[in-house]
Amino acid sequence: MSYPFQIKSLEEYQQHYQKSIQDPESYWAEVASHFEWKKKWDKVLDCNFTEPKVEWFINGKLNITENCLDRHIKAGKGDQPALIWEPNDPEEHHRVLTYKELYFKVNQFAQVLLNNGVTKGDRVCIYMGMVPELPVAILACARIGAIHSVIFGGFSAQSIADRVTDAQAEYVITCDGAYRGTKEIPLKPVIDEALVQCHGVKRVIVLTRTRTPVSMIKGRDVWWEDEIKKVETLGNPKVEAAEMDAEDKLFILYTSGSTGKPKGVVHTCGGYMIWATYTFVNVFQYQPGEIHFCTADIGWITGHSYILYGPLSAGATSLMFEGIPTWPDAGRFWDIVDKYKVNILYTAPTAIRSLMAYGLQPLQGKDLSSIRLLGTVGEPINEEGWKWYYENIGKSKCPIIDTWWQTETGACLISNLAGVTAHKPCWATLPLPGVQPLLVDEKGNEITEKDSDGYYKGNLCLNGPWPGILRTTYGDHERCRQNYFATYPGLYFTGDGALKDDQGNFRITGRVDDVLNVSGHRIGTAELENAINMHNGVVESAVVAYQHDVKGQGIYAFVIYSGTLENEHLTRQDISLTVSKVIGAIAKPDKIQFVSGLPKTRSGKIMRRILRKIAEGELNQLGDTTTLLDPLIVDEIKNNRI
Ligand code: WT7
């Protein structure tokens, strides 16, 4: 497969960019013509950011799995590896699924779904570890037109219940348990706990992975393996790929915002497919035959777009890893690179920083010469981490792509194109064709003056749609409008702050809303405070981020506790456990400080700016505190800072 839309030089990038802005409809129609459609679209784009309403490839019909599987087999690439799976335990056999084998398994499991009553448009929640059956389950949903919603394995029963309820899902696919390093993580028991609250779930399909004992509820729960056997006795019939409208929902993925519970970001079949594939081919500059290793979990958007849909639709070989970077030792990524001769390594700054802390010993004797390019995603990378990655992993000869995007954007929006446009340490650099970033001030006016440091600095917005933009938040379109399209009318607001230089390069500086980014995981402060406040001794709390060497941001919680604190240490543990139960272990606070009050304005608003400064240790830069209801509280908090 060649990629007619692969940009090969800086000049070509400029030409593509110009064309995509001047005449987006013909630009994207050309790109889309290289995909497999059951019926061509009538109109390329219909868009206004007021409702908001965004539709791409109107009345086009397709099935994304035909693009990810059937067309490669038809093109004679059926025996090429589609997925390579590296297990948690290096002693266990790895698995390779060719395009033909993956196609076979997706068909088989699509039939299982049909046999269990799943139909087009139904929502299926998937809560599994990183096993090859996870992509099989996802693609099988897409094959029959069911809407998948993958829930990351680190979320708690309560979080699952919230998502299953919000998505009105009637079907769940899970595993008995998952392996992560030395740990065996129960999954089915967490589902059981969640489903006590979700009476609408009709069927739970359970894959065996850890062989942990689980309870199977009669009439509701079935084993994956038993269901596959039933399909085998039917002679493994082929499952017709459902004809989907370009704007039919493909999946829902929940993500945190600055207010309320996580929202279900909706992506649709046509636009998402084009965007995931187009960006994969261009940003990574994928060459046929290369081994692409994205270390993300498929429970996040990065895994959806750059382990599954982008690579598979481009006919690539994608490596998925079940385990963690530090087990059996901190050389695990390098073992994997060496073992499979990985060409593209795409990981998160938090992983780079944590591996950097182990020094160079874990790199000893590992052949990394196959690596052609390195990538980062999920949070700003620090200069030290960038340099370490560039020199020690890329041996000072591989480009680093710093890819900025969000769950809502479907795939990458701002990044250098590996080896084609220049990298710049810690800068995401240039927008992809179709993407029009601009920086605005609080009032929404475009920033036209440079700061004292020579950069334009403001809140990052996007003007005009690209095919992969979210279409709605599931079940609540008004929330989508409020969250992304209302702050600055006519623009999509990202929630990030950024700098721009004279050449048009962007550097993302981090969230400017109340969203934390902890080890690349997105968590809302409101969501965290709600969880902390669930502990029966907590009266009120306020959460802010502080700079953390490995996680990027750490969670600092200021907590007002009722009654006497007999054992602060134990109470901190109790509060952490409460957060684990309500959200998941990924959201546990790093620091909990007990306070007798919080700095509030006279109208009762918590002054987080002050708490942030205290958490960062910038005790002499608290700014004006005279407008506070009780200015003395600041001294108490400062003095007891952890
Ligand atoms: C937020 C989105 C992108 C998929 C994984 C995270 C931050 C993402 C970068 C980057 C600086 C980045 C932003 C963004 N972010 N990539 N290259 N440089 N910050 O997706 O969970 O939806 O989080 O991650 O703050 O808004 P997500």
Side-chain angles (χ1 to χ4, degrees), residues 330-363:
R332 188 66 193 276
F333 277 180
W334 325 128
D335 288 331
I336 296 174
V337 168
D338 193 346
K339 179 172 172 186
Y340 300 101
K341 304 296 167 221
V342 165
N343 305 107
I344 303 173
L345 176 67
Y346 187 41
T347 194
T350 185
I352 297 167
R353 287 190 299 264
S354 89
L355 294 175
M356 192 167 80
Y358 289 87
L360 296 180
Q361 198 280 329
L363 287 159

mmCIF file of all heavy atoms in Angstrom, residues 330-363:
data_model
loop_
_atom_site.group_PDB
_atom_site.id
_atom_site.type_symbol
_atom_site.label_atom_id
_atom_site.label_comp_id
_atom_site.label_asym_id
_atom_site.label_seq_id
_atom_site.Cartn_x
_atom_site.Cartn_y
_atom_site.Cartn_z
ATOM 1 N N ALA A 330 13.839 -2.271 34.387
ATOM 2 C CA ALA A 330 13.605 -1.011 33.670
ATOM 3 C C ALA A 330 14.139 -1.035 32.239
ATOM 4 O O ALA A 330 14.145 -0.013 31.554
ATOM 5 C CB ALA A 330 14.203 0.157 34.446
ATOM 6 N N GLY A 331 14.569 -2.201 31.782
ATOM 7 C CA GLY A 331 15.023 -2.319 30.398
ATOM 8 C C GLY A 331 13.973 -2.953 29.495
ATOM 9 O O GLY A 331 14.255 -3.298 28.343
ATOM 10 N N ARG A 332 12.761 -3.099 29.992
ATOM 11 C CA ARG A 332 11.758 -3.861 29.241
ATOM 12 C C ARG A 332 11.450 -3.266 27.860
ATOM 13 O O ARG A 332 11.380 -3.992 26.863
ATOM 14 C CB ARG A 332 10.467 -3.971 30.063
ATOM 15 C CG ARG A 332 9.438 -4.920 29.448
ATOM 16 C CD ARG A 332 9.954 -6.351 29.454
ATOM 17 N NE ARG A 332 9.176 -7.253 28.621
ATOM 18 C CZ ARG A 332 8.056 -7.870 29.002
ATOM 19 N NH1 ARG A 332 7.567 -7.687 30.199
ATOM 20 N NH2 ARG A 332 7.428 -8.677 28.168
ATOM 21 N N PHE A 333 11.269 -1.948 27.783
ATOM 22 C CA PHE A 333 10.985 -1.341 26.471
ATOM 23 C C PHE A 333 12.124 -1.635 25.498
ATOM 24 O O PHE A 333 11.901 -1.916 24.319
ATOM 25 C CB PHE A 333 10.836 0.185 26.584
ATOM 26 C CG PHE A 333 9.476 0.671 27.015
ATOM 27 C CD1 PHE A 333 9.237 2.038 27.156
ATOM 28 C CD2 PHE A 333 8.431 -0.203 27.274
ATOM 29 C CE1 PHE A 333 7.990 2.518 27.543
ATOM 30 C CE2 PHE A 333 7.175 0.267 27.669
ATOM 31 C CZ PHE A 333 6.963 1.635 27.812
ATOM 32 N N TRP A 334 13.347 -1.573 26.019
ATOM 33 C CA TRP A 334 14.514 -1.734 25.137
ATOM 34 C C TRP A 334 14.640 -3.190 24.701
ATOM 35 O O TRP A 334 15.061 -3.481 23.581
ATOM 36 C CB TRP A 334 15.790 -1.197 25.811
ATOM 37 C CG TRP A 334 15.482 0.016 26.658
ATOM 38 C CD1 TRP A 334 15.817 0.217 27.955
ATOM 39 C CD2 TRP A 334 14.716 1.186 26.261
ATOM 40 N NE1 TRP A 334 15.315 1.418 28.406
ATOM 41 C CE2 TRP A 334 14.643 2.028 27.409
ATOM 42 C CE3 TRP A 334 14.090 1.586 25.092
ATOM 43 C CZ2 TRP A 334 13.970 3.256 27.384
ATOM 44 C CZ3 TRP A 334 13.409 2.805 25.073
ATOM 45 C CH2 TRP A 334 13.355 3.623 26.195
ATOM 46 N N ASP A 335 14.230 -4.125 25.587
ATOM 47 C CA ASP A 335 14.185 -5.539 25.187
ATOM 48 C C ASP A 335 13.201 -5.723 24.035
ATOM 49 O O ASP A 335 13.461 -6.457 23.086
ATOM 50 C CB ASP A 335 13.703 -6.417 26.353
ATOM 51 C CG ASP A 335 14.762 -6.537 27.440
ATOM 52 O OD1 ASP A 335 15.963 -6.457 27.098
ATOM 53 O OD2 ASP A 335 14.388 -6.696 28.619
ATOM 54 N N ILE A 336 12.059 -5.057 24.175
ATOM 55 C CA ILE A 336 11.013 -5.215 23.149
ATOM 56 C C ILE A 336 11.491 -4.610 21.821
ATOM 57 O O ILE A 336 11.332 -5.218 20.755
ATOM 58 C CB ILE A 336 9.685 -4.564 23.619
ATOM 59 C CG1 ILE A 336 9.159 -5.294 24.854
ATOM 60 C CG2 ILE A 336 8.647 -4.568 22.504
ATOM 61 C CD1 ILE A 336 7.923 -4.662 25.504
ATOM 62 N N VAL A 337 12.109 -3.448 21.888
ATOM 63 C CA VAL A 337 12.627 -2.808 20.673
ATOM 64 C C VAL A 337 13.618 -3.745 19.990
ATOM 65 O O VAL A 337 13.565 -3.976 18.777
ATOM 66 C CB VAL A 337 13.293 -1.452 21.012
ATOM 67 C CG1 VAL A 337 14.080 -0.917 19.827
ATOM 68 C CG2 VAL A 337 12.246 -0.433 21.468
ATOM 69 N N ASP A 338 14.505 -4.311 20.786
ATOM 70 C CA ASP A 338 15.541 -5.206 20.271
ATOM 71 C C ASP A 338 14.916 -6.490 19.691
ATOM 72 O O ASP A 338 15.210 -6.891 18.560
ATOM 73 C CB ASP A 338 16.486 -5.540 21.446
ATOM 74 C CG ASP A 338 17.781 -6.203 20.973
ATOM 75 O OD1 ASP A 338 17.831 -6.638 19.807
ATOM 76 O OD2 ASP A 338 18.723 -6.291 21.786
ATOM 77 N N LYS A 339 13.989 -7.086 20.442
ATOM 78 C CA LYS A 339 13.382 -8.357 20.037
ATOM 79 C C LYS A 339 12.636 -8.264 18.701
ATOM 80 O O LYS A 339 12.743 -9.148 17.862
ATOM 81 C CB LYS A 339 12.407 -8.806 21.141
ATOM 82 C CG LYS A 339 11.667 -10.111 20.887
ATOM 83 C CD LYS A 339 10.897 -10.510 22.154
ATOM 84 C CE LYS A 339 9.984 -11.706 21.926
ATOM 85 N NZ LYS A 339 9.155 -11.993 23.118
ATOM 86 N N TYR A 340 11.881 -7.177 18.512
ATOM 87 C CA TYR A 340 11.053 -7.085 17.300
ATOM 88 C C TYR A 340 11.610 -6.114 16.273
ATOM 89 O O TYR A 340 10.978 -5.867 15.256
ATOM 90 C CB TYR A 340 9.626 -6.654 17.674
ATOM 91 C CG TYR A 340 8.946 -7.621 18.614
ATOM 92 C CD1 TYR A 340 8.861 -7.348 19.969
ATOM 93 C CD2 TYR A 340 8.418 -8.827 18.144
ATOM 94 C CE1 TYR A 340 8.247 -8.237 20.845
ATOM 95 C CE2 TYR A 340 7.810 -9.720 19.011
ATOM 96 C CZ TYR A 340 7.729 -9.419 20.357
ATOM 97 O OH TYR A 340 7.127 -10.302 21.208
ATOM 98 N N LYS A 341 12.771 -5.542 16.564
ATOM 99 C CA LYS A 341 13.377 -4.543 15.664
ATOM 100 C C LYS A 341 12.364 -3.416 15.376
ATOM 101 O O LYS A 341 12.006 -3.118 14.228
ATOM 102 C CB LYS A 341 13.845 -5.193 14.346
ATOM 103 C CG LYS A 341 14.810 -6.351 14.551
ATOM 104 C CD LYS A 341 16.114 -5.894 15.203
ATOM 105 C CE LYS A 341 16.959 -7.054 15.708
ATOM 106 N NZ LYS A 341 17.594 -6.801 17.021
ATOM 107 N N VAL A 342 11.910 -2.838 16.460
ATOM 108 C CA VAL A 342 10.912 -1.769 16.388
ATOM 109 C C VAL A 342 11.486 -0.559 15.641
ATOM 110 O O VAL A 342 12.630 -0.170 15.866
ATOM 111 C CB VAL A 342 10.488 -1.364 17.826
ATOM 112 C CG1 VAL A 342 9.743 -0.037 17.834
ATOM 113 C CG2 VAL A 342 9.662 -2.474 18.459
ATOM 114 N N ASN A 343 10.685 0.020 14.752
ATOM 115 C CA ASN A 343 11.119 1.193 13.986
ATOM 116 C C ASN A 343 10.584 2.507 14.544
ATOM 117 O O ASN A 343 11.194 3.556 14.391
ATOM 118 C CB ASN A 343 10.664 1.070 12.525
ATOM 119 C CG ASN A 343 11.143 -0.231 11.895
ATOM 120 O OD1 ASN A 343 10.348 -1.148 11.678
ATOM 121 N ND2 ASN A 343 12.433 -0.340 11.642
ATOM 122 N N ILE A 344 9.392 2.427 15.143
ATOM 123 C CA ILE A 344 8.766 3.645 15.672
ATOM 124 C C ILE A 344 8.415 3.397 17.130
ATOM 125 O O ILE A 344 7.726 2.416 17.441
ATOM 126 C CB ILE A 344 7.460 3.976 14.902
ATOM 127 C CG1 ILE A 344 7.733 4.114 13.407
ATOM 128 C CG2 ILE A 344 6.804 5.232 15.474
ATOM 129 C CD1 ILE A 344 6.475 4.262 12.557
ATOM 130 N N LEU A 345 8.901 4.246 18.001
ATOM 131 C CA LEU A 345 8.559 4.123 19.418
ATOM 132 C C LEU A 345 7.821 5.390 19.840
ATOM 133 O O LEU A 345 8.342 6.500 19.728
ATOM 134 C CB LEU A 345 9.817 3.941 20.268
ATOM 135 C CG LEU A 345 9.573 3.892 21.784
ATOM 136 C CD1 LEU A 345 8.804 2.631 22.179
ATOM 137 C CD2 LEU A 345 10.896 3.948 22.547
ATOM 138 N N TYR A 346 6.596 5.191 20.323
ATOM 139 C CA TYR A 346 5.722 6.324 20.670
ATOM 140 C C TYR A 346 5.295 6.146 22.120
ATOM 141 O O TYR A 346 4.619 5.176 22.455
ATOM 142 C CB TYR A 346 4.521 6.274 19.730
ATOM 143 C CG TYR A 346 3.547 7.431 19.775
ATOM 144 C CD1 TYR A 346 3.972 8.748 19.892
ATOM 145 C CD2 TYR A 346 2.173 7.198 19.637
ATOM 146 C CE1 TYR A 346 3.051 9.794 19.886
ATOM 147 C CE2 TYR A 346 1.256 8.234 19.622
ATOM 148 C CZ TYR A 346 1.706 9.537 19.752
ATOM 149 O OH TYR A 346 0.798 10.569 19.734
ATOM 150 N N THR A 347 5.738 7.052 22.989
ATOM 151 C CA THR A 347 5.431 6.870 24.405
ATOM 152 C C THR A 347 5.148 8.212 25.073
ATOM 153 O O THR A 347 5.082 9.246 24.409
ATOM 154 C CB THR A 347 6.556 6.074 25.100
ATOM 155 O OG1 THR A 347 6.108 5.627 26.379
ATOM 156 C CG2 THR A 347 7.822 6.906 25.286
ATOM 157 N N ALA A 348 4.971 8.189 26.393
ATOM 158 C CA ALA A 348 4.582 9.404 27.116
ATOM 159 C C ALA A 348 5.774 9.974 27.880
ATOM 160 O O ALA A 348 6.622 9.221 28.357
ATOM 161 C CB ALA A 348 3.455 9.063 28.089
ATOM 162 N N PRO A 349 5.827 11.295 28.034
ATOM 163 C CA PRO A 349 6.906 11.898 28.824
ATOM 164 C C PRO A 349 7.054 11.283 30.212
ATOM 165 O O PRO A 349 8.171 11.113 30.697
ATOM 166 C CB PRO A 349 6.493 13.366 28.901
ATOM 167 C CG PRO A 349 5.742 13.595 27.632
ATOM 168 C CD PRO A 349 4.972 12.322 27.402
ATOM 169 N N THR A 350 5.944 10.908 30.845
ATOM 170 C CA THR A 350 6.046 10.338 32.190
ATOM 171 C C THR A 350 6.842 9.026 32.161
ATOM 172 O O THR A 350 7.638 8.752 33.064
ATOM 173 C CB THR A 350 4.643 10.156 32.833
ATOM 174 O OG1 THR A 350 4.802 9.718 34.158
ATOM 175 C CG2 THR A 350 3.766 9.215 32.060
ATOM 176 N N ALA A 351 6.667 8.223 31.120
ATOM 177 C CA ALA A 351 7.434 6.970 31.005
ATOM 178 C C ALA A 351 8.915 7.288 30.794
ATOM 179 O O ALA A 351 9.791 6.662 31.394
ATOM 180 C CB ALA A 351 6.885 6.134 29.844
ATOM 181 N N ILE A 352 9.177 8.297 29.963
ATOM 182 C CA ILE A 352 10.573 8.677 29.700
ATOM 183 C C ILE A 352 11.235 9.132 31.001
ATOM 184 O O ILE A 352 12.339 8.698 31.343
ATOM 185 C CB ILE A 352 10.637 9.796 28.633
ATOM 186 C CG1 ILE A 352 10.079 9.276 27.302
ATOM 187 C CG2 ILE A 352 12.067 10.322 28.466
ATOM 188 C CD1 ILE A 352 9.803 10.356 26.269
ATOM 189 N N ARG A 353 10.543 9.963 31.743
ATOM 190 C CA ARG A 353 11.131 10.465 32.996
ATOM 191 C C ARG A 353 11.331 9.345 33.994
ATOM 192 O O ARG A 353 12.344 9.302 34.697
ATOM 193 C CB ARG A 353 10.239 11.556 33.599
ATOM 194 C CG ARG A 353 10.291 12.882 32.847
ATOM 195 C CD ARG A 353 9.599 13.976 33.629
ATOM 196 N NE ARG A 353 8.183 13.662 33.835
ATOM 197 C CZ ARG A 353 7.205 14.115 33.058
ATOM 198 N NH1 ARG A 353 7.474 14.911 32.042
ATOM 199 N NH2 ARG A 353 5.959 13.791 33.293
ATOM 200 N N SER A 354 10.398 8.415 34.059
ATOM 201 C CA SER A 354 10.574 7.354 35.050
ATOM 202 C C SER A 354 11.725 6.435 34.639
ATOM 203 O O SER A 354 12.499 5.995 35.481
ATOM 204 C CB SER A 354 9.265 6.601 35.314
ATOM 205 O OG SER A 354 9.107 5.530 34.439
ATOM 206 N N LEU A 355 11.913 6.185 33.346
ATOM 207 C CA LEU A 355 13.023 5.318 32.911
ATOM 208 C C LEU A 355 14.369 6.040 33.041
ATOM 209 O O LEU A 355 15.387 5.422 33.357
ATOM 210 C CB LEU A 355 12.788 4.842 31.479
ATOM 211 C CG LEU A 355 11.582 3.910 31.350
ATOM 212 C CD1 LEU A 355 11.317 3.562 29.898
ATOM 213 C CD2 LEU A 355 11.775 2.637 32.176
ATOM 214 N N MET A 356 14.331 7.333 32.806
ATOM 215 C CA MET A 356 15.545 8.142 32.923
ATOM 216 C C MET A 356 16.133 8.010 34.333
ATOM 217 O O MET A 356 17.350 7.981 34.510
ATOM 218 C CB MET A 356 15.147 9.591 32.637
ATOM 219 C CG MET A 356 16.251 10.557 32.434
ATOM 220 S SD MET A 356 15.569 12.093 31.735
ATOM 221 C CE MET A 356 14.936 12.866 33.199
ATOM 222 N N ALA A 357 15.252 7.875 35.315
ATOM 223 C CA ALA A 357 15.699 7.792 36.711
ATOM 224 C C ALA A 357 16.507 6.514 36.979
ATOM 225 O O ALA A 357 17.232 6.436 37.968
ATOM 226 C CB ALA A 357 14.489 7.867 37.637
ATOM 227 N N TYR A 358 16.383 5.521 36.112
ATOM 228 C CA TYR A 358 17.150 4.278 36.304
ATOM 229 C C TYR A 358 18.547 4.352 35.697
ATOM 230 O O TYR A 358 19.317 3.400 35.764
ATOM 231 C CB TYR A 358 16.409 3.078 35.701
ATOM 232 C CG TYR A 358 15.180 2.689 36.479
ATOM 233 C CD1 TYR A 358 13.954 3.291 36.229
ATOM 234 C CD2 TYR A 358 15.244 1.712 37.476
ATOM 235 C CE1 TYR A 358 12.815 2.944 36.937
ATOM 236 C CE2 TYR A 358 14.114 1.349 38.196
ATOM 237 C CZ TYR A 358 12.898 1.969 37.925
ATOM 238 O OH TYR A 358 11.785 1.613 38.631
ATOM 239 N N GLY A 359 18.853 5.457 35.050
ATOM 240 C CA GLY A 359 20.184 5.613 34.463
ATOM 241 C C GLY A 359 20.337 4.807 33.184
ATOM 242 O O GLY A 359 19.344 4.346 32.597
ATOM 243 N N LEU A 360 21.578 4.634 32.758
ATOM 244 C CA LEU A 360 21.815 4.016 31.449
ATOM 245 C C LEU A 360 22.035 2.511 31.519
ATOM 246 O O LEU A 360 22.057 1.834 30.487
ATOM 247 C CB LEU A 360 23.022 4.689 30.783
ATOM 248 C CG LEU A 360 22.818 6.179 30.458
ATOM 249 C CD1 LEU A 360 24.056 6.766 29.809
ATOM 250 C CD2 LEU A 360 21.590 6.386 29.565
ATOM 251 N N GLN A 361 22.186 1.986 32.739
ATOM 252 C CA GLN A 361 22.463 0.553 32.863
ATOM 253 C C GLN A 361 21.428 -0.325 32.143
ATOM 254 O O GLN A 361 21.805 -1.244 31.419
ATOM 255 C CB GLN A 361 22.599 0.205 34.356
ATOM 256 C CG GLN A 361 23.297 -1.120 34.637
ATOM 257 C CD GLN A 361 22.355 -2.298 34.449
ATOM 258 O OE1 GLN A 361 21.157 -2.166 34.679
ATOM 259 N NE2 GLN A 361 22.909 -3.432 33.977
ATOM 260 N N PRO A 362 20.113 -0.043 32.282
ATOM 261 C CA PRO A 362 19.123 -0.898 31.602
ATOM 262 C C PRO A 362 19.240 -0.897 30.073
ATOM 263 O O PRO A 362 18.637 -1.738 29.405
ATOM 264 C CB PRO A 362 17.780 -0.303 32.040
ATOM 265 C CG PRO A 362 18.067 0.432 33.305
ATOM 266 C CD PRO A 362 19.457 0.970 33.140
ATOM 267 N N LEU A 363 20.024 0.024 29.522
ATOM 268 C CA LEU A 363 20.194 0.073 28.060
ATOM 269 C C LEU A 363 21.349 -0.797 27.586
ATOM 270 O O LEU A 363 21.494 -1.055 26.380
ATOM 271 C CB LEU A 363 20.465 1.521 27.625
ATOM 272 C CG LEU A 363 19.277 2.471 27.669
ATOM 273 C CD1 LEU A 363 19.733 3.912 27.727
ATOM 274 C CD2 LEU A 363 18.393 2.245 26.458
#
